């Protein structure tokens, strides 16, 4: 599969697609442009051709280095106590549960089918997708980061026969929290609802906001929703999705009514891992190493049963990509101890040459990475991203340009399509493409 992919992508004609515009460029062999006209290049006997610069590679790290990357968990405080608090609140009747499908079909918000903004995606890759409603698209209050869906949640790729999508957002414009949106897009309409992420407290308040987080990435695996925040991995349980009684600014219980900062639903945390010390500040990690690994993006590789994390390194390459084995029984990182839930260790890691890498996904053989296009000026604002690809240890090549500031990527193994989203206010889309022409 890998060799076929690379053969199809090398030297293939490209197309620019967006807002109804399409242009094509052809590869000219043995010609160069002189004063705007095509002219024959000098023969090798007359002038030696300049050697082509070698493409950068996705480099595997040593196993000794990989073994230093951990997901640490305080079993009592960051798992057991959280679970008891969730169970206690539900048994008291203070909150009622809802389903992910009911949130998506609530039509609290109605998006737009298709890509409503220019994306620069290659038209031969048969792009598709959807857009948020105009207010969420504007991005004044919330900024999208991660993307997952029912294609990650289970092997069938659906929830009760429906294709659902989940995006994570961090607060903007004074908002402190982070949330997820649960959406359904069936090709004819797109509806969704917003869910605030909260931490159960076990006291009279019941639950509290989880503020100061970036919601860097998200993966829906089994019943769990895994959310990355730099140096921490938060775990939420979709079986405990709570319907609120009241739309107020406060978060928690008051007067027998549940509220979640103007949201109709809240999702409680059930576990929390850190890549460094438990009491480290949110985001306290070292992108590019050699110390505490960062979780700047997340995706699921169902072929290998691993969580894939990536690091964002500003204006240069060197971000680390790591695989973390998952336990299908718990739908959480696989413990290295005898406990079902415990510290986990990365199984393999790589160093990526992609600058400003915002997203990484894998189909089991090839890694796809979203970041700055090769040769682009990192100081320039509002540039279109590039989606690049490489086999482990192989050369990194460009697949296509993509939306401005493309963020997380997600691989759908059933449809064999690559999904992604971007964060540019006023030009936000959720897209999918084929990876072969």
């Amino acid at each position: 599969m890998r060799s076929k992919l690379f053969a199809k992508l090398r030297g293939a004609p490209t197309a620019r697609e967006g807002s109804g515009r399409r242009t094509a460029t052809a590869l000219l062999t043995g010609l160069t442009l002189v004063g705007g006209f095509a002219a024959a290049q000098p023969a090798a006997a007359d002038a030696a051709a300049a050697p082509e610069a070698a493409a950068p590679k996705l480099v595997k790290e040593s196993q000794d280095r990989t073994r230093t990357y951990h997901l640490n968990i305080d079993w009592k405080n960051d798992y057991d106590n959280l679970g008891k608090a969730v169970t206690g609140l539900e048994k008291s009747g203070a909150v009622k549960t809802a389903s992910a499908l009911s949130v998506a079909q609530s039509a609290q918000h109605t998006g737009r089918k298709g890509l409503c903004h220019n994306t620069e995606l290659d038209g031969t890759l048969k792009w598709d997708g959807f857009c948020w409603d105009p207010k969420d698209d504007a991005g004044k209050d919330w900024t999208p980061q991660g993307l997952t869906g029912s294609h990650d949640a289970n092997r069938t790729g659906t929830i009760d026969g429906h294709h659902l999508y989940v995006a994570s957002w961090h607060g903007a414009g004074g908002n402190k929290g982070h949330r997820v949106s649960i959406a359904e897009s069936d090709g004819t309409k797109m509806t969704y609802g917003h869910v605030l992420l909260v931490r159960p407290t076990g006291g009279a308040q019941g639950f509290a906001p989880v503020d100061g987080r970036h919601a860097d990435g998200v993966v829906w695996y089994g019943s769990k929703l895994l959310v990355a925040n730099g140096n921490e991995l938060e775990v939420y349980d979709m079986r405990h999705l709570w319907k609120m009684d009241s739309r107020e600014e406060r978060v928690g219980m008051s007067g027998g009514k549940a509220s979640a900062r103007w949201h109709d639903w809240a999702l409680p945390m059930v576990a929390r891992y850190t890549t460094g010390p438990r009491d480290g500040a949110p985001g306290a990690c070292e992108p590019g190493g050699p110390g505490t690994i960062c979780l700047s993006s997340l995706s699921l590789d169902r072929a290998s049963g691993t969580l894939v994390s990536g690091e964002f390194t500003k204006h240069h390459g060197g971000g680390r990509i790591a695989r973390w084995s998952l336990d299908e029984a718990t739908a959480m990182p696989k413990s290295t101890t005898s406990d079902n839930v415990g510290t986990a260790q990365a199984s393999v890691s790589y160093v990526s040459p992609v600058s400003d890498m915002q997203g990484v996904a894998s189909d089991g053989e090839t890694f796809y990475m979203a970041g700055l296009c090769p040769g682009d000026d990192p100081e320039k604002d509002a540039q279109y991203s590039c989606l690049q690809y490489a086999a482990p240890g192989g050369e990194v090549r460009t697949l296509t340009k993509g939306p401005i500031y493309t963020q997380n990527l997600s691989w759908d193994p059933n449809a064999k399509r690559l999904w992604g989203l971007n964060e540019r206010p006023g030009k936000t889309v959720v897209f999918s493409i084929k990876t072969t022409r």
Side-chain angles (χ1 to χ4, degrees):
M1 172 181 173
R2 188 184 311 153
S3 60
K4 290 181 181 178
L5 171 66
F6 286 11
K8 289 183 179 181
L9 293 179
R10 286 197 181 98
T14 60
R16 240 175 74 184
E17 182 74 21
S19 303
R21 297 182 294 109
R22 187 187 297 263
T23 63
T25 61
L27 182 66
L28 300 178
T29 303
L31 297 177
T32 186
L33 293 178
V34 180
F37 297 94
Q41 293 181 347
D46 297 329
E52 183 180 351
K57 293 184 177 182
L58 184 64
V59 179
K60 184 179 179 180
E61 293 194 296
S62 70
Q63 203 59 28
D64 287 342
R65 172 68 69 184
T66 302
R67 290 193 189 102
T68 66
Y69 305 149
H70 294 93
L71 293 172
N72 308 301
I73 188 168
D74 182 324
W75 189 89
K76 185 65 176 176
N77 292 309
D78 291 332
Y79 176 67
D80 189 51
N81 287 349
L82 293 177
K84 288 177 179 177
V86 169
T87 300
L89 197 60
E90 290 181 357
K91 283 187 175 180
S92 73
V95 291
K96 294 180 175 60
T97 59
S99 69
L101 183 59
S102 70
V103 174
Q105 294 185 338
S106 69
Q108 180 193 65
H109 296 266
T110 300
R112 293 160 285 176
K113 65 178 182 177
L115 302 184
C116 54
H117 303 295
N118 181 32
T119 64
E120 294 294 308
L121 289 166
D122 187 331
T124 67
L125 298 177
K126 299 182 179 179
W127 51 258
D128 199 358
F130 57 84
C131 291
W132 309 106
D133 72 13
K135 182 179 179 181
D136 287 329
D137 182 17
K140 293 182 178 180
D141 300 316
W142 296 89
T143 302
Q145 294 292 297
L147 183 71
T148 184
S150 54
H151 59 264
D152 285 334
N154 59 58
R155 298 183 188 281
T156 69
T158 62
I159 300 295
D160 296 328
H162 297 261
H163 292 278
L164 302 184
Y165 305 91
V166 176
S168 63
W169 310 63
H170 68 74
N175 281 328
K176 299 177 182 179
H178 58 331
R179 73 180 187 190
V180 295
S181 301
I182 306 177
E184 180 179 21
S185 178
D186 61 8
T188 60
K189 65 182 184 302
M190 183 271 187
T191 59
Y192 62 101
H194 297 311
V195 181
L196 189 70
L197 300 178
V198 299
R199 183 181 177 105
T201 60
Q205 184 182 358
F207 56 97
V210 187
D211 289 339
R213 304 303 195 270
H214 203 259
D216 296 291
V218 61
V219 162
W220 188 355
Y221 182 65
S223 63
K224 303 300 196 302
L225 200 67
L226 311 174
V227 179
N229 285 296
N231 65 334
E232 66 179 358
L233 180 71
E234 300 170 352
V235 182
Y236 297 84
D237 196 323
M238 299 289 270
R239 297 171 298 185
H240 301 285
L241 183 55
W242 294 337
K243 180 72 171 70
M244 298 293 96
D245 304 306
S246 177
R247 276 189 183 180
E248 299 177 51
E249 185 175 5
R250 64 177 176 82
V251 178
M253 302 298 304
S254 179
K257 291 186 177 182
S259 175
R261 198 176 280 162
W262 313 114
H263 288 73
D264 286 340
W265 300 272
L267 188 63
M269 187 188 302
V270 296
R272 175 181 177 266
Y273 296 82
T274 59
T275 59
R278 179 179 184 267
D279 58 355
C285 53
E286 300 177 43
T292 303
I293 194 168
C294 299
L295 309 178
S296 306
S297 68
L298 285 183
S299 64
L300 176 71
D301 179 3
R302 188 164 282 282
S304 62
T306 59
L307 186 70
V308 178
S309 66
E311 283 186 324
F312 169 79
T313 48
K314 189 174 182 179
H315 298 352
H316 62 84
R320 292 168 289 185
I321 297 171
R323 289 188 181 275
W324 311 84
S325 295
L326 293 168
D327 185 337
E328 200 163 4
T330 63
M332 293 168 63
K334 191 172 184 178
S335 174
T336 57
T337 70
S338 58
D339 298 320
N340 289 334
V341 175
T343 295
Q345 180 178 281
S347 58
V348 64
S349 60
Y350 306 89
V351 176
S352 168
V354 175
S355 179
D356 298 72
M357 186 173 66
Q358 295 275 17
V360 184
S362 171
D363 62 8
E365 294 184 345
T366 301
F367 283 99
Y368 301 95
M369 297 155 283
L372 192 70
C373 292
D376 279 0
D377 180 1
E379 298 293 344
K380 187 178 179 181
D381 186 38
Q383 296 186 91
Y384 287 93
S385 297
C386 272
L387 304 183
Q388 301 172 65
Y389 67 94
E395 296 181 343
V396 176
R397 304 285 183 176
T398 298
L399 175 63
T400 177
K401 279 198 169 185
I404 299 172
Y405 301 146
T406 297
Q407 299 294 300
N408 278 204
L409 302 175
S410 179
W411 176 255
D412 181 344
N414 294 311
K416 299 190 185 308
R417 293 181 69 88
L418 183 68
W419 283 85
L421 83 174
N422 72 317
E423 69 166 18
R424 181 65 174 175
K427 294 186 177 181
T428 307
V429 300
V430 177
F431 66 88
S432 78
I433 57 172
K434 292 178 64 66
T435 55
T436 56
R437 295 177 171 86

